[in-house]
Amino acid sequence: MRRRIVFLGPPGAGKGTQAQMLAEFLGVPVIATGDLLRAEVAADTPLGRQAREFMEQGALVPDPLVMEILKRRLAQPDCEQGFILDGFPRTLAQAQALEELLGPQGRAIEAVLELEVPEAVLVERFSGRRVCRHCGHVYHLHTHPPRCAGTCDRCGDALIQRADDTPATVRTRLQIYHQATEPLIHFYRERGLLHRIDGSGDIDRIQHATREVVVAQDDTQGA
Ligand code: ADP
Ligand code: ADP
Ligand code: ZN
């Protein structure tokens, strides 16, 4: 079983949704740098104050800030048996820093799952995305609605639209994905870690394909 996993894919591809489901299956935590950064912004910490403007514009938060927050999180004891990274790494520099961070401790990444989704579908997903303002759980107005409109199934708090899910910001984020993050596909393919998964279609079917990669015994590449 592979327990140190990276989800790669454009914003809106369903990384958070799939990562959460896989985490329940594997019993390891999801580390979503976007969630960690939003928590820093909400708590108005010095790091949050530095990150805020980048996030509002849909730009990447500078690597040193992201690395600081990631290092802190990976040092927590619940990461010892594995972890799922969602939204990290997003640049080659981050991927290299991650290798340095994990390598010496024998905790290297075991699989990178790239969710492939056509751009038209992504736009659909962004526009309907709603998140719980308290626990961060992710819903969709049409494809994954809560049981009771506007209310989180898990904690009962209100669902909101993320401040950066506006059409203009989404365009910027997609551009940045192509420029800064897509080169990671090549980076991980070279290392024999890349597995491409069709991210369009039913959530449960995608999760099934994801678990197949994670439980695979052999080391053959899925891509
Ligand atoms: P999405 O779910 O749409 O991919 P995220 O929640 O992962 O968005 O990220 C939201 C924002 O947080 C990004 O647009 C960026 O500003 C910042 N961010 C998150 N992760 C990183 C990262 N690894 N490097 C730089 N910025 C990041
Ligand atoms: P990411 O973390 O990659 O930005 P999310 O997991 O937040 O993506 O998903 C984006 C939106 O699309 C959310 O509203 C989510 O509920 C919805 N969604 C995720 N996967 C699917 C799917 N396979 N089919 C339809 N909607 C989906
Ligand atoms: Zn909630």
Side-chain angles (χ1 to χ4, degrees):
M1 197 89 91
R2 299 175 165 122
R3 290 182 202 278
R4 288 183 302 276
I5 312 285
V6 168
F7 270 100
L8 203 60
K15 300 183 298 296
T17 301
Q18 295 298 329
Q20 206 58 59
M21 295 167 84
L22 186 63
E24 277 161 32
F25 176 68
L26 287 177
V28 300
V30 177
I31 302 179
T33 43
D35 288 346
L36 296 175
L37 287 165
R38 278 187 288 277
E40 297 279 330
V41 171
D44 201 27
T45 64
L47 196 152
R49 282 197 287 276
Q50 290 180 72
R52 181 184 198 127
E53 211 172 307
F54 295 100
M55 296 175 75
E56 278 173 357
Q57 291 167 0
L60 291 181
V61 173
D63 291 335
L65 294 180
V66 178
M67 288 315 299
E68 187 186 326
I69 211 170
L70 181 86
K71 270 185 205 163
R72 233 191 277 154
R73 183 63 188 86
L74 278 178
Q76 302 287 313
D78 65 336
C79 296
E80 272 163 24
Q81 301 307 315
F83 47 80
I84 299 171
L85 296 177
D86 162 17
F88 180 95
R90 263 175 153 97
T91 64
L92 274 174
Q94 288 179 11
Q96 281 154 356
L98 179 67
E99 279 191 345
E100 276 172 38
L101 189 67
L102 299 179
Q105 298 163 50
R107 304 195 298 168
I109 295 301
E110 294 168 298
V112 175
L113 310 177
E114 185 209 351
L115 292 179
E116 276 189 294
V117 180
E119 201 133 315
V121 177
L122 290 179
V123 174
E124 261 292 294
R125 291 192 182 172
F126 276 122
S127 55
R129 174 155 64 183
R130 295 294 182 274
V131 299
C132 173
R133 68 171 178 196
H134 176 67
C135 74
H137 195 72
V138 178
Y139 299 88
H140 190 281
L141 286 181
H142 310 297
T143 64
H144 185 50
R147 282 193 290 272
C148 173
T151 307
C152 180
D153 290 348
R154 300 204 163 181
C155 75
D157 213 325
L159 304 187
I160 55 164
Q161 186 163 26
R162 262 170 53 176
D164 60 347
D165 274 351
T166 60
T169 314
V170 163
R171 262 195 307 279
T172 309
R173 285 156 65 203
L174 286 172
Q175 268 167 14
I176 292 178
Y177 176 78
H178 293 310
Q179 284 161 15
T181 309
E182 243 171 20
L184 294 179
I185 294 171
H186 177 68
F187 178 89
Y188 284 120
R189 189 189 285 123
E190 272 193 328
R191 283 159 175 70
L193 293 173
L194 189 76
H195 300 265
R196 294 197 133 154
I197 293 174
D198 180 359
S200 53
D202 181 65
I203 290 181
D204 291 329
R205 192 196 52 71
I206 300 164
Q207 179 63 202
H208 182 79
T210 299
R211 291 184 185 181
E212 269 184 347
V213 170
V214 166
V215 300
Q217 295 298 310
D218 62 88
D219 286 322
T220 49
Q221 257 181 281

PDB file of all heavy atoms in Angstrom, residues 67-87:
ATOM      1  N   MET A  67       6.777  26.634   2.061  1.00  0.00           N
ATOM      2  CA  MET A  67       7.644  25.595   2.637  1.00  0.00           C
ATOM      3  C   MET A  67       7.613  25.643   4.163  1.00  0.00           C
ATOM      4  O   MET A  67       7.634  24.606   4.813  1.00  0.00           O
ATOM      5  CB  MET A  67       9.094  25.759   2.143  1.00  0.00           C
ATOM      6  CG  MET A  67       9.325  25.381   0.700  1.00  0.00           C
ATOM      7  SD  MET A  67       8.563  23.829   0.160  1.00  0.00           S
ATOM      8  CE  MET A  67       9.357  22.620   1.232  1.00  0.00           C
ATOM      9  N   GLU A  68       7.561  26.833   4.698  1.00  0.00           N
ATOM     10  CA  GLU A  68       7.540  26.952   6.157  1.00  0.00           C
ATOM     11  C   GLU A  68       6.296  26.270   6.734  1.00  0.00           C
ATOM     12  O   GLU A  68       6.369  25.474   7.678  1.00  0.00           O
ATOM     13  CB  GLU A  68       7.564  28.438   6.548  1.00  0.00           C
ATOM     14  CG  GLU A  68       7.704  28.645   8.045  1.00  0.00           C
ATOM     15  CD  GLU A  68       7.568  30.120   8.435  1.00  0.00           C
ATOM     16  OE1 GLU A  68       7.998  30.980   7.637  1.00  0.00           O
ATOM     17  OE2 GLU A  68       7.008  30.373   9.515  1.00  0.00           O
ATOM     18  N   ILE A  69       5.176  26.563   6.112  1.00  0.00           N
ATOM     19  CA  ILE A  69       3.917  26.025   6.610  1.00  0.00           C
ATOM     20  C   ILE A  69       3.865  24.504   6.405  1.00  0.00           C
ATOM     21  O   ILE A  69       3.390  23.754   7.264  1.00  0.00           O
ATOM     22  CB  ILE A  69       2.757  26.754   5.882  1.00  0.00           C
ATOM     23  CG1 ILE A  69       1.568  26.852   6.776  1.00  0.00           C
ATOM     24  CG2 ILE A  69       2.355  26.132   4.616  1.00  0.00           C
ATOM     25  CD1 ILE A  69       0.516  27.758   6.173  1.00  0.00           C
ATOM     26  N   LEU A  70       4.415  24.026   5.293  1.00  0.00           N
ATOM     27  CA  LEU A  70       4.403  22.590   5.017  1.00  0.00           C
ATOM     28  C   LEU A  70       5.322  21.832   5.982  1.00  0.00           C
ATOM     29  O   LEU A  70       4.964  20.784   6.512  1.00  0.00           O
ATOM     30  CB  LEU A  70       4.843  22.331   3.576  1.00  0.00           C
ATOM     31  CG  LEU A  70       4.824  20.843   3.261  1.00  0.00           C
ATOM     32  CD1 LEU A  70       3.430  20.414   2.814  1.00  0.00           C
ATOM     33  CD2 LEU A  70       5.854  20.453   2.236  1.00  0.00           C
ATOM     34  N   LYS A  71       6.510  22.367   6.218  1.00  0.00           N
ATOM     35  CA  LYS A  71       7.459  21.723   7.141  1.00  0.00           C
ATOM     36  C   LYS A  71       6.854  21.560   8.511  1.00  0.00           C
ATOM     37  O   LYS A  71       6.974  20.517   9.148  1.00  0.00           O
ATOM     38  CB  LYS A  71       8.734  22.578   7.266  1.00  0.00           C
ATOM     39  CG  LYS A  71       9.790  22.236   6.257  1.00  0.00           C
ATOM     40  CD  LYS A  71      11.053  23.035   6.526  1.00  0.00           C
ATOM     41  CE  LYS A  71      11.853  23.168   5.238  1.00  0.00           C
ATOM     42  NZ  LYS A  71      12.855  24.198   5.275  1.00  0.00           N
ATOM     43  N   ARG A  72       6.203  22.617   8.955  1.00  0.00           N
ATOM     44  CA  ARG A  72       5.571  22.589  10.273  1.00  0.00           C
ATOM     45  C   ARG A  72       4.524  21.473  10.341  1.00  0.00           C
ATOM     46  O   ARG A  72       4.447  20.725  11.300  1.00  0.00           O
ATOM     47  CB  ARG A  72       4.868  23.940  10.490  1.00  0.00           C
ATOM     48  CG  ARG A  72       5.256  24.643  11.774  1.00  0.00           C
ATOM     49  CD  ARG A  72       4.317  25.799  12.027  1.00  0.00           C
ATOM     50  NE  ARG A  72       4.677  27.014  11.313  1.00  0.00           N
ATOM     51  CZ  ARG A  72       3.786  27.960  10.983  1.00  0.00           C
ATOM     52  NH1 ARG A  72       2.507  27.822  11.250  1.00  0.00           N
ATOM     53  NH2 ARG A  72       4.183  29.051  10.373  1.00  0.00           N
ATOM     54  N   ARG A  73       3.744  21.351   9.286  1.00  0.00           N
ATOM     55  CA  ARG A  73       2.662  20.367   9.288  1.00  0.00           C
ATOM     56  C   ARG A  73       3.198  18.935   9.197  1.00  0.00           C
ATOM     57  O   ARG A  73       2.712  18.034   9.879  1.00  0.00           O
ATOM     58  CB  ARG A  73       1.712  20.654   8.116  1.00  0.00           C
ATOM     59  CG  ARG A  73       0.491  19.735   8.048  1.00  0.00           C
ATOM     60  CD  ARG A  73      -0.394  19.886   9.271  1.00  0.00           C
ATOM     61  NE  ARG A  73      -1.467  18.875   9.312  1.00  0.00           N
ATOM     62  CZ  ARG A  73      -1.343  17.649   9.821  1.00  0.00           C
ATOM     63  NH1 ARG A  73      -0.183  17.261  10.325  1.00  0.00           N
ATOM     64  NH2 ARG A  73      -2.362  16.823   9.826  1.00  0.00           N
ATOM     65  N   LEU A  74       4.222  18.732   8.356  1.00  0.00           N
ATOM     66  CA  LEU A  74       4.773  17.378   8.186  1.00  0.00           C
ATOM     67  C   LEU A  74       5.475  16.886   9.443  1.00  0.00           C
ATOM     68  O   LEU A  74       5.670  15.688   9.621  1.00  0.00           O
ATOM     69  CB  LEU A  74       5.757  17.349   7.008  1.00  0.00           C
ATOM     70  CG  LEU A  74       5.160  17.220   5.618  1.00  0.00           C
ATOM     71  CD1 LEU A  74       6.266  17.259   4.564  1.00  0.00           C
ATOM     72  CD2 LEU A  74       4.356  15.932   5.469  1.00  0.00           C
ATOM     73  N   ALA A  75       5.861  17.806  10.311  1.00  0.00           N
ATOM     74  CA  ALA A  75       6.548  17.426  11.553  1.00  0.00           C
ATOM     75  C   ALA A  75       5.566  16.913  12.608  1.00  0.00           C
ATOM     76  O   ALA A  75       5.979  16.372  13.633  1.00  0.00           O
ATOM     77  CB  ALA A  75       7.331  18.626  12.093  1.00  0.00           C
ATOM     78  N   GLN A  76       4.267  17.045  12.366  1.00  0.00           N
ATOM     79  CA  GLN A  76       3.276  16.564  13.334  1.00  0.00           C
ATOM     80  C   GLN A  76       3.262  15.030  13.346  1.00  0.00           C
ATOM     81  O   GLN A  76       3.447  14.403  12.304  1.00  0.00           O
ATOM     82  CB  GLN A  76       1.873  17.068  12.954  1.00  0.00           C
ATOM     83  CG  GLN A  76       1.746  18.582  12.854  1.00  0.00           C
ATOM     84  CD  GLN A  76       1.752  19.248  14.216  1.00  0.00           C
ATOM     85  OE1 GLN A  76       1.059  18.823  15.128  1.00  0.00           O
ATOM     86  NE2 GLN A  76       2.576  20.284  14.353  1.00  0.00           N
ATOM     87  N   PRO A  77       3.037  14.443  14.522  1.00  0.00           N
ATOM     88  CA  PRO A  77       3.115  12.978  14.641  1.00  0.00           C
ATOM     89  C   PRO A  77       2.128  12.216  13.756  1.00  0.00           C
ATOM     90  O   PRO A  77       2.401  11.083  13.354  1.00  0.00           O
ATOM     91  CB  PRO A  77       2.831  12.717  16.130  1.00  0.00           C
ATOM     92  CG  PRO A  77       2.451  14.010  16.734  1.00  0.00           C
ATOM     93  CD  PRO A  77       2.817  15.105  15.797  1.00  0.00           C
ATOM     94  N   ASP A  78       0.989  12.816  13.403  1.00  0.00           N
ATOM     95  CA  ASP A  78       0.012  12.078  12.601  1.00  0.00           C
ATOM     96  C   ASP A  78       0.478  11.833  11.163  1.00  0.00           C
ATOM     97  O   ASP A  78      -0.155  11.085  10.425  1.00  0.00           O
ATOM     98  CB  ASP A  78      -1.357  12.782  12.614  1.00  0.00           C
ATOM     99  CG  ASP A  78      -1.321  14.140  11.932  1.00  0.00           C
ATOM    100  OD1 ASP A  78      -0.231  14.751  11.852  1.00  0.00           O
ATOM    101  OD2 ASP A  78      -2.375  14.608  11.478  1.00  0.00           O
ATOM    102  N   CYS A  79       1.603  12.437  10.777  1.00  0.00           N
ATOM    103  CA  CYS A  79       2.125  12.223   9.418  1.00  0.00           C
ATOM    104  C   CYS A  79       3.103  11.054   9.351  1.00  0.00           C
ATOM    105  O   CYS A  79       3.599  10.718   8.266  1.00  0.00           O
ATOM    106  CB  CYS A  79       2.830  13.482   8.912  1.00  0.00           C
ATOM    107  SG  CYS A  79       1.727  14.876   8.726  1.00  0.00           S
ATOM    108  N   GLU A  80       3.390  10.435  10.482  1.00  0.00           N
ATOM    109  CA  GLU A  80       4.431   9.408  10.507  1.00  0.00           C
ATOM    110  C   GLU A  80       4.085   8.197   9.647  1.00  0.00           C
ATOM    111  O   GLU A  80       4.965   7.595   9.042  1.00  0.00           O
ATOM    112  CB  GLU A  80       4.718   8.969  11.945  1.00  0.00           C
ATOM    113  CG  GLU A  80       5.786   9.848  12.590  1.00  0.00           C
ATOM    114  CD  GLU A  80       5.822   9.727  14.106  1.00  0.00           C
ATOM    115  OE1 GLU A  80       5.383   8.683  14.624  1.00  0.00           O
ATOM    116  OE2 GLU A  80       6.279  10.686  14.750  1.00  0.00           O
ATOM    117  N   GLN A  81       2.801   7.838   9.579  1.00  0.00           N
ATOM    118  CA  GLN A  81       2.408   6.656   8.804  1.00  0.00           C
ATOM    119  C   GLN A  81       2.080   7.000   7.355  1.00  0.00           C
ATOM    120  O   GLN A  81       1.681   6.120   6.596  1.00  0.00           O
ATOM    121  CB  GLN A  81       1.181   5.981   9.445  1.00  0.00           C
ATOM    122  CG  GLN A  81       1.392   5.529  10.875  1.00  0.00           C
ATOM    123  CD  GLN A  81       2.627   4.655  11.029  1.00  0.00           C
ATOM    124  OE1 GLN A  81       2.858   3.752  10.233  1.00  0.00           O
ATOM    125  NE2 GLN A  81       3.438   4.939  12.033  1.00  0.00           N
ATOM    126  N   GLY A  82       2.198   8.260   7.000  1.00  0.00           N
ATOM    127  CA  GLY A  82       1.895   8.659   5.640  1.00  0.00           C
ATOM    128  C   GLY A  82       1.072   9.933   5.610  1.00  0.00           C
ATOM    129  O   GLY A  82       0.690  10.459   6.667  1.00  0.00           O
ATOM    130  N   PHE A  83       0.816  10.419   4.393  1.00  0.00           N
ATOM    131  CA  PHE A  83       0.072  11.673   4.234  1.00  0.00           C
ATOM    132  C   PHE A  83      -0.295  11.841   2.768  1.00  0.00           C
ATOM    133  O   PHE A  83       0.330  11.232   1.894  1.00  0.00           O
ATOM    134  CB  PHE A  83       0.914  12.874   4.701  1.00  0.00           C
ATOM    135  CG  PHE A  83       2.309  12.860   4.172  1.00  0.00           C
ATOM    136  CD1 PHE A  83       2.587  13.286   2.883  1.00  0.00           C
ATOM    137  CD2 PHE A  83       3.356  12.361   4.940  1.00  0.00           C
ATOM    138  CE1 PHE A  83       3.873  13.234   2.381  1.00  0.00           C
ATOM    139  CE2 PHE A  83       4.651  12.298   4.427  1.00  0.00           C
ATOM    140  CZ  PHE A  83       4.913  12.738   3.153  1.00  0.00           C
ATOM    141  N   ILE A  84      -1.299  12.641   2.541  1.00  0.00           N
ATOM    142  CA  ILE A  84      -1.718  12.948   1.171  1.00  0.00           C
ATOM    143  C   ILE A  84      -1.559  14.449   0.971  1.00  0.00           C
ATOM    144  O   ILE A  84      -2.156  15.232   1.701  1.00  0.00           O
ATOM    145  CB  ILE A  84      -3.183  12.538   0.956  1.00  0.00           C
ATOM    146  CG1 ILE A  84      -3.335  11.027   1.182  1.00  0.00           C
ATOM    147  CG2 ILE A  84      -3.646  12.934  -0.446  1.00  0.00           C
ATOM    148  CD1 ILE A  84      -4.780  10.559   1.210  1.00  0.00           C
ATOM    149  N   LEU A  85      -0.756  14.820   0.004  1.00  0.00           N
ATOM    150  CA  LEU A  85      -0.556  16.239  -0.279  1.00  0.00           C
ATOM    151  C   LEU A  85      -1.540  16.688  -1.355  1.00  0.00           C
ATOM    152  O   LEU A  85      -1.640  16.068  -2.410  1.00  0.00           O
ATOM    153  CB  LEU A  85       0.880  16.499  -0.740  1.00  0.00           C
ATOM    154  CG  LEU A  85       1.968  16.211   0.300  1.00  0.00           C
ATOM    155  CD1 LEU A  85       3.353  16.430  -0.300  1.00  0.00           C
ATOM    156  CD2 LEU A  85       1.784  17.108   1.520  1.00  0.00           C
ATOM    157  N   ASP A  86      -2.258  17.751  -1.068  1.00  0.00           N
ATOM    158  CA  ASP A  86      -3.261  18.298  -1.987  1.00  0.00           C
ATOM    159  C   ASP A  86      -2.932  19.759  -2.235  1.00  0.00           C
ATOM    160  O   ASP A  86      -2.993  20.571  -1.317  1.00  0.00           O
ATOM    161  CB  ASP A  86      -4.652  18.124  -1.343  1.00  0.00           C
ATOM    162  CG  ASP A  86      -5.716  19.023  -1.960  1.00  0.00           C
ATOM    163  OD1 ASP A  86      -5.499  19.545  -3.071  1.00  0.00           O
ATOM    164  OD2 ASP A  86      -6.770  19.191  -1.325  1.00  0.00           O
ATOM    165  N   GLY A  87      -2.562  20.077  -3.466  1.00  0.00           N
ATOM    166  CA  GLY A  87      -2.221  21.471  -3.774  1.00  0.00           C
ATOM    167  C   GLY A  87      -0.767  21.812  -3.499  1.00  0.00           C
ATOM    168  O   GLY A  87      -0.375  22.971  -3.546  1.00  0.00           O
TER     169      GLY A  87
END
